Amino acid sequence: MTSWKHKIRVGDLADSQKLEARCRKCGHIHYLTREAICTSPEREFLYIDELERETVCRARGCRGPVRLSMVRLDELSGFVGGLA
């Protein structure tokens, strides 16, 4: 089974797009941007699942594995319809 993490590369992310990294060990959350990930040019070609495998928790002393997920940037809008 392939997921979105196998199809999207770091270079495909928009400049404003963020990835949420949640630690599987301690639950700490930190956010990654494309700029922070691409510290060297070849990292732009990493798939998200590869990035997930090499990213570790930033919490003090933890360094546990993380789960990456996309952060939605679009604004939420309420239900506009109704009864006439």
Side-chain angles (χ1 to χ4, degrees):
M1 183 173 111
T2 61
S3 73
W4 65 274
K5 294 178 184 178
H6 299 286
K7 297 176 184 175
I8 299 176
R9 293 179 189 236
V10 173
D12 295 338
L13 298 174
D15 291 334
S16 60
Q17 180 67 50
K18 291 183 180 181
L19 294 174
E20 179 182 278
R22 180 182 298 266
C23 180
R24 296 178 186 215
K25 186 175 172 183
C26 73
H28 176 76
I29 298 173
H30 67 274
Y31 295 92
L32 300 170
T33 60
R34 180 178 172 187
E35 181 181 346
I37 297 167
C38 295
T39 53
S40 60
E42 62 271 2
R43 291 182 56 86
E44 185 176 329
F45 299 104
L46 285 175
Y47 284 99
I48 302 298
D49 64 326
E50 296 170 328
L51 178 66
E52 185 175 58
R53 282 194 295 274
E54 68 179 45
T55 304
V56 294
C57 180
R58 292 184 183 170
R60 187 172 169 149
C62 180
R63 306 212 23 102
V66 300
R67 174 177 294 130
L68 293 179
S69 60
M70 289 274 212
V71 176
R72 288 183 55 144
L73 296 176
D74 55 344
E75 297 200 14
L76 298 175
S77 61
F79 179 70
V80 182
L83 296 173

Coordinates of all heavy atoms in Angstrom, one line a residue:
M1 N 0.8 -1.2 0.0 CA 0.0 0.0 0.0 C 0.9 1.2 0.0 O 1.8 1.4 0.8 CB -0.9 0.0 1.3 CG -1.8 1.1 1.3 SD -3.0 0.9 2.7 CE -2.4 2.2 3.7
T2 N 0.6 2.1 -0.9 CA 1.4 3.4 -0.9 C 0.6 4.5 -0.4 O -0.6 4.6 -0.6 CB 1.8 3.7 -2.4 OG1 0.7 3.9 -3.2 CG2 2.7 2.7 -3.0
S3 N 1.2 5.4 0.4 CA 0.5 6.5 0.9 C 1.0 7.8 0.3 O 2.0 7.8 -0.5 CB 0.7 6.5 2.5 OG 2.0 6.9 2.8
W4 N 0.5 8.9 0.8 CA 1.0 10.2 0.2 C 2.4 10.4 0.5 O 3.1 11.2 -0.2 CB 0.1 11.3 0.8 CG 0.2 11.5 2.3 CD1 -0.5 10.8 3.2 CD2 1.1 12.4 2.9 NE1 -0.1 11.3 4.5 CE2 0.9 12.2 4.3 CE3 2.0 13.3 2.5 CZ2 1.6 12.9 5.3 CZ3 2.7 14.0 3.5 CH2 2.5 13.8 4.8
K5 N 3.0 9.8 1.6 CA 4.4 10.0 1.9 C 5.3 9.4 0.9 O 6.5 9.8 0.8 CB 4.6 9.4 3.3 CG 3.9 10.1 4.4 CD 4.1 9.5 5.8 CE 3.3 10.1 6.8 NZ 3.4 9.5 8.1
H6 N 4.9 8.4 0.2 CA 5.7 7.8 -0.9 C 5.6 8.6 -2.2 O 6.4 8.3 -3.1 CB 5.2 6.4 -1.1 CG 5.4 5.5 0.1 ND1 6.6 5.0 0.5 CD2 4.4 5.0 0.9 CE1 6.4 4.3 1.6 NE2 5.1 4.2 1.8
K7 N 4.7 9.5 -2.3 CA 4.4 10.2 -3.6 C 4.9 11.6 -3.6 O 5.2 12.2 -4.7 CB 2.9 10.2 -3.9 CG 2.3 8.8 -4.1 CD 0.9 8.9 -4.3 CE 0.3 7.5 -4.4 NZ -1.2 7.5 -4.5
I8 N 5.1 12.2 -2.4 CA 5.4 13.6 -2.4 C 6.9 13.8 -1.9 O 7.3 13.1 -1.0 CB 4.5 14.4 -1.4 CG1 3.1 14.3 -1.9 CG2 5.0 15.8 -1.2 CD1 2.1 15.0 -1.0
R9 N 7.6 14.6 -2.6 CA 9.0 14.9 -2.3 C 9.0 16.2 -1.5 O 8.1 17.0 -1.6 CB 9.9 15.1 -3.5 CG 10.0 13.8 -4.2 CD 10.9 14.0 -5.5 NE 10.9 12.8 -6.3 CZ 12.0 12.2 -6.7 NH1 13.2 12.6 -6.3 NH2 11.9 11.1 -7.4
V10 N 10.1 16.5 -0.8 CA 10.3 17.7 0.0 C 10.2 18.9 -1.0 O 9.6 19.9 -0.7 CB 11.6 17.7 0.8 CG1 11.8 19.1 1.4 CG2 11.5 16.6 1.8
G11 N 10.8 18.8 -2.2 CA 10.8 19.8 -3.2 C 9.4 20.2 -3.7 O 9.2 21.3 -4.2
D12 N 8.4 19.3 -3.5 CA 7.0 19.5 -4.0 C 6.3 20.4 -3.0 O 5.2 20.9 -3.4 CB 6.3 18.2 -4.1 CG 6.9 17.3 -5.2 OD1 7.5 17.9 -6.1 OD2 6.6 16.1 -5.2
L13 N 6.8 20.6 -1.8 CA 6.1 21.4 -0.8 C 6.1 22.9 -1.1 O 7.2 23.3 -1.6 CB 6.7 21.2 0.6 CG 6.6 19.7 1.2 CD1 7.4 19.7 2.5 CD2 5.2 19.3 1.4
A14 N 5.1 23.6 -0.8 CA 5.1 25.0 -1.0 C 6.0 25.7 0.0 O 6.2 25.0 1.1 CB 3.7 25.6 -0.9
D15 N 6.5 26.8 -0.2 CA 7.4 27.5 0.7 C 6.7 27.7 2.1 O 7.4 27.7 3.1 CB 7.9 28.8 0.2 CG 8.8 28.6 -1.0 OD1 9.5 27.6 -1.1 OD2 8.9 29.6 -1.8
S16 N 5.4 28.0 2.1 CA 4.7 28.2 3.3 C 4.1 27.0 4.0 O 3.6 27.0 5.1 CB 3.5 29.2 3.1 OG 2.7 28.6 2.1
Q17 N 4.3 25.8 3.3 CA 3.7 24.6 3.9 C 4.6 24.1 5.0 O 5.8 24.1 5.0 CB 3.7 23.5 2.8 CG 3.2 22.1 3.2 CD 1.7 22.2 3.5 OE1 0.9 22.7 2.7 NE2 1.4 21.7 4.7
K18 N 3.9 23.6 6.1 CA 4.6 23.0 7.2 C 4.2 21.5 7.4 O 3.2 21.1 7.0 CB 4.2 23.8 8.5 CG 4.6 25.2 8.6 CD 4.2 25.8 9.9 CE 4.7 27.2 10.0 NZ 4.3 27.8 11.3
L19 N 5.2 20.8 8.0 CA 5.0 19.4 8.3 C 5.0 19.3 9.9 O 5.9 19.9 10.5 CB 6.0 18.5 7.8 CG 6.1 18.3 6.3 CD1 7.3 17.5 5.8 CD2 4.8 17.7 5.8
E20 N 4.1 18.7 10.4 CA 4.0 18.5 11.9 C 4.8 17.2 12.2 O 4.5 16.1 11.6 CB 2.6 18.4 12.4 CG 2.5 18.2 13.9 CD 1.1 18.0 14.3 OE1 0.4 19.0 14.5 OE2 0.6 16.9 14.5
A21 N 5.8 17.2 13.1 CA 6.5 16.1 13.5 C 6.1 15.8 15.0 O 6.5 16.5 15.9 CB 8.0 16.3 13.4
R22 N 5.4 14.7 15.2 CA 4.9 14.3 16.5 C 5.7 13.1 16.9 O 5.8 12.1 16.3 CB 3.4 14.0 16.5 CG 2.9 13.5 17.9 CD 1.4 13.2 17.8 NE 0.6 14.3 17.4 CZ 0.0 15.1 18.2 NH1 0.1 14.9 19.5 NH2 -0.7 16.1 17.7
C23 N 6.3 13.2 18.1 CA 7.2 12.1 18.6 C 6.3 10.9 19.0 O 5.3 11.0 19.7 CB 8.0 12.5 19.8 SG 9.0 11.2 20.5
R24 N 6.7 9.7 18.6 CA 6.0 8.5 18.9 C 6.3 8.0 20.3 O 5.6 7.2 20.9 CB 6.3 7.4 17.9 CG 5.9 7.7 16.5 CD 6.3 6.6 15.6 NE 6.0 7.0 14.2 CZ 5.6 6.1 13.3 NH1 5.5 4.8 13.6 NH2 5.3 6.5 12.1
K25 N 7.4 8.5 20.9 CA 7.8 8.1 22.2 C 7.3 9.0 23.3 O 6.7 8.5 24.3 CB 9.4 8.1 22.2 CG 10.0 7.6 23.4 CD 11.5 7.5 23.2 CE 12.2 7.2 24.5 NZ 13.7 7.2 24.3
C26 N 7.5 10.3 23.2 CA 7.1 11.3 24.3 C 5.9 12.2 23.9 O 5.4 12.8 24.8 CB 8.3 12.1 24.7 SG 8.8 13.4 23.5
G27 N 5.5 12.2 22.6 CA 4.4 13.1 22.2 C 4.7 14.5 21.9 O 3.8 15.3 21.5
H28 N 6.0 14.9 22.0 CA 6.4 16.3 21.7 C 6.1 16.6 20.2 O 6.3 15.7 19.4 CB 7.9 16.4 22.0 CG 8.4 17.8 21.6 ND1 8.2 18.9 22.4 CD2 9.2 18.2 20.6 CE1 8.8 19.9 21.8 NE2 9.4 19.5 20.7
I29 N 5.7 17.8 20.0 CA 5.4 18.2 18.6 C 6.3 19.4 18.2 O 6.5 20.3 19.0 CB 4.0 18.7 18.4 CG1 3.0 17.6 18.8 CG2 3.7 19.2 17.0 CD1 1.5 18.0 18.8
H30 N 6.9 19.3 17.0 CA 7.6 20.4 16.4 C 7.3 20.5 14.9 O 6.7 19.5 14.4 CB 9.1 20.4 16.7 CG 9.9 19.3 16.0 ND1 10.0 18.0 16.5 CD2 10.5 19.3 14.8 CE1 10.7 17.3 15.7 NE2 11.0 18.0 14.6
Y31 N 7.5 21.6 14.3 CA 7.1 21.8 12.9 C 8.3 22.0 12.1 O 9.3 22.6 12.5 CB 6.2 23.0 12.8 CG 4.9 22.8 13.6 CD1 4.7 23.2 14.9 CD2 3.8 22.2 12.9 CE1 3.5 22.9 15.6 CE2 2.6 21.9 13.6 CZ 2.5 22.3 14.9 OH 1.3 22.1 15.6
L32 N 8.2 21.5 10.8 CA 9.3 21.6 9.9 C 8.8 22.3 8.7 O 7.7 22.1 8.2 CB 9.7 20.2 9.4 CG 10.2 19.2 10.5 CD1 10.4 17.8 9.9 CD2 11.6 19.7 11.0
T33 N 9.6 23.2 8.1 CA 9.3 23.9 6.9 C 10.3 23.4 5.8 O 11.3 22.8 6.1 CB 9.5 25.5 7.1 OG1 10.9 25.7 7.4 CG2 8.6 26.0 8.1
R34 N 9.9 23.7 4.6 CA 10.8 23.3 3.5 C 12.2 23.9 3.6 O 13.2 23.3 3.4 CB 10.2 23.7 2.2 CG 11.0 23.4 1.0 CD 10.3 23.8 -0.3 NE 11.1 23.6 -1.4 CZ 10.9 24.0 -2.6 NH1 9.7 24.6 -2.9 NH2 11.7 23.8 -3.6
E35 N 12.2 25.2 4.0 CA 13.5 25.9 4.2 C 14.4 25.2 5.3 O 15.6 25.0 5.1 CB 13.2 27.3 4.6 CG 14.5 28.2 4.8 CD 14.2 29.6 5.2 OE1 13.0 30.0 5.2 OE2 15.1 30.3 5.7
A36 N 13.8 24.8 6.4 CA 14.5 24.1 7.5 C 15.0 22.7 7.0 O 16.1 22.3 7.4 CB 13.6 24.0 8.7
I37 N 14.2 22.0 6.2 CA 14.6 20.7 5.8 C 15.7 20.7 4.7 O 16.6 19.9 4.8 CB 13.3 20.0 5.2 CG1 12.2 19.8 6.2 CG2 13.7 18.6 4.6 CD1 10.9 19.4 5.6
C38 N 15.6 21.7 3.8 CA 16.6 21.7 2.7 C 17.8 22.5 3.1 O 18.2 23.5 2.5 CB 15.9 22.4 1.5 SG 14.6 21.4 0.8
T39 N 18.5 21.9 4.1 CA 19.8 22.5 4.5 C 20.9 22.3 3.4 O 21.9 23.0 3.4 CB 20.3 22.0 5.8 OG1 20.3 20.6 5.8 CG2 19.3 22.5 6.9
S40 N 20.7 21.2 2.6 CA 21.6 21.0 1.5 C 20.7 20.6 0.3 O 19.6 20.2 0.4 CB 22.5 19.8 1.8 OG 21.8 18.6 2.1
P41 N 21.2 20.9 -0.9 CA 20.4 20.8 -2.1 C 19.8 19.4 -2.4 O 18.7 19.3 -2.9 CB 21.3 21.2 -3.3 CG 22.4 22.0 -2.6 CD 22.5 21.5 -1.2
E42 N 20.5 18.3 -2.0 CA 20.0 17.0 -2.3 C 18.9 16.6 -1.4 O 18.1 15.7 -1.7 CB 21.2 16.0 -2.2 CG 21.8 15.8 -0.9 CD 23.0 16.8 -0.7 OE1 23.3 17.6 -1.5 OE2 23.6 16.7 0.4
R43 N 18.7 17.3 -0.3 CA 17.5 16.9 0.6 C 16.2 17.3 0.0 O 15.2 16.8 0.4 CB 17.7 17.6 2.0 CG 18.8 17.0 2.7 CD 19.0 17.6 4.1 NE 17.8 17.6 4.9 CZ 17.5 16.5 5.7 NH1 18.2 15.5 5.7 NH2 16.4 16.6 6.5
E44 N 16.2 18.1 -1.0 CA 15.0 18.5 -1.8 C 14.4 17.3 -2.5 O 13.2 17.3 -2.7 CB 15.4 19.6 -2.8 CG 14.2 20.2 -3.5 CD 14.7 21.4 -4.4 OE1 15.6 22.0 -4.1 OE2 14.0 21.5 -5.4
F45 N 15.2 16.3 -2.8 CA 14.7 15.1 -3.5 C 14.2 14.0 -2.6 O 13.9 12.9 -3.1 CB 15.8 14.7 -4.5 CG 16.1 15.7 -5.5 CD1 17.3 16.4 -5.4 CD2 15.3 16.1 -6.5 CE1 17.7 17.4 -6.3 CE2 15.6 17.1 -7.4 CZ 16.8 17.7 -7.3
L46 N 14.3 14.2 -1.3 CA 13.8 13.1 -0.4 C 12.3 13.0 -0.4 O 11.6 14.0 -0.5 CB 14.2 13.5 1.1 CG 15.6 13.3 1.5 CD1 15.8 13.8 2.9 CD2 16.1 11.9 1.4
Y47 N 11.8 11.8 -0.4 CA 10.4 11.6 -0.2 C 10.0 11.8 1.2 O 10.9 11.7 2.1 CB 9.9 10.2 -0.7 CG 9.9 10.0 -2.2 CD1 10.9 9.5 -2.9 CD2 8.8 10.5 -2.9 CE1 10.9 9.3 -4.3 CE2 8.7 10.4 -4.3 CZ 9.8 9.8 -5.0 OH 9.8 9.7 -6.3
I48 N 8.8 12.1 1.5 CA 8.4 12.4 2.9 C 8.6 11.2 3.8 O 9.0 11.4 5.0 CB 6.9 12.9 3.0 CG1 6.7 14.1 2.1 CG2 6.5 13.1 4.4 CD1 7.5 15.3 2.5
D49 N 8.4 10.0 3.3 CA 8.6 8.8 4.1 C 10.1 8.6 4.5 O 10.4 8.2 5.6 CB 8.0 7.5 3.5 CG 8.7 7.2 2.2 OD1 9.1 8.1 1.4 OD2 8.8 5.9 1.9
E50 N 11.0 9.0 3.6 CA 12.4 8.9 3.8 C 12.8 10.0 4.9 O 13.6 9.7 5.8 CB 13.2 9.2 2.6 CG 13.0 8.1 1.5 CD 13.6 8.5 0.2 OE1 13.7 9.7 -0.2 OE2 14.0 7.5 -0.5
L51 N 12.2 11.2 4.8 CA 12.4 12.2 5.8 C 11.9 11.8 7.1 O 12.6 12.0 8.1 CB 11.7 13.5 5.3 CG 11.8 14.7 6.2 CD1 13.3 15.2 6.3 CD2 10.9 15.8 5.8
E52 N 10.8 11.1 7.2 CA 10.2 10.7 8.4 C 11.1 9.7 9.1 O 11.3 9.7 10.3 CB 8.8 10.0 8.2 CG 8.1 9.6 9.4 CD 6.7 9.1 9.1 OE1 6.6 8.1 8.3 OE2 5.7 9.7 9.6
R53 N 11.7 8.8 8.4 CA 12.7 7.8 8.9 C 13.9 8.4 9.5 O 14.4 7.9 10.5 CB 13.1 6.8 7.9 CG 12.0 5.7 7.6 CD 12.5 4.5 6.9 NE 13.0 4.9 5.5 CZ 12.2 4.9 4.5 NH1 10.9 4.6 4.6 NH2 12.6 5.2 3.3
E54 N 14.4 9.5 9.0 CA 15.6 10.1 9.5 C 15.4 11.3 10.5 O 16.4 11.7 11.1 CB 16.5 10.6 8.3 CG 16.0 11.7 7.5 CD 17.0 12.1 6.4 OE1 17.5 11.2 5.7 OE2 17.3 13.3 6.2
T55 N 14.2 11.7 10.6 CA 13.9 12.8 11.6 C 13.7 12.2 13.0 O 13.0 11.2 13.2 CB 12.6 13.5 11.2 OG1 12.8 14.0 9.8 CG2 12.3 14.7 12.1
V56 N 14.3 12.9 14.0 CA 14.1 12.5 15.4 C 13.5 13.6 16.2 O 13.5 14.7 15.8 CB 15.5 12.0 16.0 CG1 16.0 10.8 15.3 CG2 16.5 13.2 15.9
C57 N 13.0 13.2 17.4 CA 12.4 14.2 18.3 C 13.4 15.2 18.8 O 14.5 14.8 19.1 CB 11.8 13.4 19.4 SG 11.0 14.5 20.7
R58 N 13.0 16.4 18.9 CA 13.9 17.5 19.3 C 13.8 17.8 20.8 O 14.4 18.6 21.4 CB 13.6 18.8 18.6 CG 13.9 18.8 17.1 CD 13.6 20.1 16.5 NE 13.9 20.1 15.1 CZ 13.6 21.1 14.3 NH1 13.0 22.2 14.8 NH2 13.9 21.0 13.0
A59 N 12.9 17.1 21.5 CA 12.7 17.3 22.9 C 14.0 16.8 23.6 O 14.7 15.9 23.2 CB 11.5 16.5 23.5
R60 N 14.3 17.5 24.7 CA 15.5 17.3 25.4 C 15.7 15.9 25.9 O 14.9 15.4 26.6 CB 15.5 18.3 26.6 CG 16.8 18.3 27.4 CD 16.7 19.4 28.4 NE 17.7 19.3 29.4 CZ 18.2 20.3 30.0 NH1 17.7 21.5 29.7 NH2 19.2 20.2 30.8
G61 N 16.7 15.2 25.4 CA 17.1 13.9 25.8 C 16.2 12.8 25.2 O 16.4 11.6 25.5
C62 N 15.3 13.0 24.3 CA 14.4 12.0 23.8 C 14.9 11.3 22.6 O 15.2 10.1 22.6 CB 13.0 12.6 23.5 SG 11.8 11.4 22.8
R63 N 15.1 12.1 21.4 CA 15.5 11.6 20.2 C 14.8 10.3 19.7 O 15.3 9.5 19.0 CB 17.0 11.3 20.2 CG 17.8 12.5 20.7 CD 19.2 12.7 20.2 NE 19.6 12.1 18.9 CZ 19.7 12.8 17.8 NH1 19.4 14.0 17.7 NH2 20.2 12.2 16.7
G64 N 13.5 10.3 20.0 CA 12.6 9.2 19.5 C 12.2 9.4 18.1 O 12.3 10.4 17.5
P65 N 11.6 8.3 17.5 CA 11.0 8.5 16.1 C 9.8 9.3 16.1 O 9.1 9.5 17.0 CB 10.7 7.0 15.8 CG 10.4 6.4 17.1 CD 11.3 7.0 18.1
V66 N 9.6 10.0 14.9 CA 8.5 10.9 14.8 C 7.5 10.4 13.7 O 7.9 9.6 12.8 CB 8.9 12.3 14.4 CG1 9.8 12.9 15.5 CG2 9.6 12.4 13.1
R67 N 6.3 10.9 13.7 CA 5.3 10.7 12.6 C 5.1 12.1 12.0 O 4.7 13.0 12.7 CB 4.0 10.2 13.2 CG 2.9 10.0 12.2 CD 1.7 9.4 12.7 NE 1.9 8.0 13.1 CZ 1.6 7.5 14.2 NH1 1.0 8.2 15.2 NH2 1.9 6.2 14.5
L68 N 5.2 12.2 10.7 CA 5.0 13.4 10.0 C 3.6 13.5 9.4 O 3.1 12.5 8.9 CB 6.0 13.6 8.8 CG 7.5 13.7 9.2 CD1 8.4 13.8 8.0 CD2 7.7 14.9 10.1
S69 N 3.0 14.7 9.5 CA 1.7 14.9 8.9 C 1.7 16.3 8.4 O 2.4 17.2 8.8 CB 0.6 14.7 9.9 OG 0.7 15.6 11.0
M70 N 0.8 16.5 7.4 CA 0.7 17.9 6.7 C -0.1 18.8 7.6 O -1.1 18.3 8.2 CB 0.0 17.8 5.4 CG 0.8 17.1 4.3 SD 1.8 18.4 3.6 CE 1.9 17.7 2.0
V71 N 0.2 20.0 7.7 CA -0.5 21.0 8.4 C -1.4 21.8 7.4 O -0.8 22.3 6.4 CB 0.4 22.0 9.2 CG1 -0.4 23.1 9.8 CG2 1.2 21.3 10.2
R72 N -2.7 21.8 7.6 CA -3.6 22.5 6.7 C -3.4 24.0 6.8 O -3.5 24.5 8.0 CB -5.0 22.1 6.9 CG -5.3 20.7 6.5 CD -6.7 20.4 6.7 NE -7.6 21.4 6.0 CZ -8.7 21.1 5.4 NH1 -9.2 19.9 5.4 NH2 -9.4 22.1 4.8
L73 N -3.2 24.7 5.7 CA -3.0 26.1 5.8 C -4.2 26.9 5.4 O -4.3 28.1 5.7 CB -1.8 26.5 4.9 CG -0.5 26.0 5.3 CD1 0.6 26.4 4.2 CD2 -0.1 26.5 6.6
D74 N -5.2 26.3 4.7 CA -6.3 27.1 4.3 C -7.2 27.4 5.4 O -7.3 26.7 6.4 CB -7.1 26.3 3.2 CG -7.5 24.9 3.7 OD1 -7.0 24.4 4.7 OD2 -8.4 24.3 3.0
E75 N -7.9 28.5 5.3 CA -8.7 29.0 6.4 C -10.0 28.1 6.4 O -10.6 27.8 5.4 CB -9.0 30.4 6.2 CG -7.8 31.3 6.3 CD -8.1 32.7 6.6 OE1 -9.3 33.0 7.1 OE2 -7.2 33.5 6.5
L76 N -10.4 27.8 7.6 CA -11.6 27.1 7.8 C -12.8 28.0 7.6 O -12.8 29.1 8.1 CB -11.7 26.4 9.2 CG -10.5 25.4 9.5 CD1 -10.6 25.0 10.9 CD2 -10.6 24.2 8.6
S77 N -13.8 27.5 6.9 CA -15.0 28.3 6.8 C -16.2 27.5 7.3 O -16.3 26.3 7.2 CB -15.2 28.7 5.3 OG -15.4 27.5 4.5
G78 N -17.1 28.2 7.9 CA -18.3 27.6 8.4 C -19.3 27.2 7.3 O -19.1 27.6 6.2
F79 N -20.3 26.5 7.7 CA -21.3 26.1 6.7 C -22.1 27.3 6.3 O -22.6 28.1 7.1 CB -22.3 25.1 7.4 CG -23.4 24.6 6.5 CD1 -23.1 23.8 5.5 CD2 -24.7 25.0 6.8 CE1 -24.2 23.3 4.7 CE2 -25.7 24.6 6.0 CZ -25.5 23.7 4.9
V80 N -22.2 27.5 5.0 CA -22.8 28.7 4.4 C -24.2 28.5 4.0 O -25.0 29.5 3.9 CB -21.9 29.3 3.2 CG1 -22.5 30.6 2.7 CG2 -20.5 29.5 3.7
G81 N -24.6 27.3 3.7 CA -25.9 27.0 3.3 C -26.9 27.1 4.4 O -26.7 27.5 5.5
G82 N -28.2 26.8 4.1 CA -29.2 26.8 5.1 C -30.6 26.6 4.4 O -30.7 26.4 3.2
L83 N -31.6 26.7 5.2 CA -32.9 26.5 4.7 C -33.5 27.8 4.2 O -33.3 28.8 4.8 CB -33.9 26.0 5.8 CG -33.5 24.6 6.4 CD1 -34.4 24.3 7.6 CD2 -33.7 23.5 5.3
A84 N -34.2 27.7 3.1 CA -34.7 29.0 2.5 C -36.1 29.2 3.0 O -36.9 28.4 3.4 CB -34.7 28.9 1.0

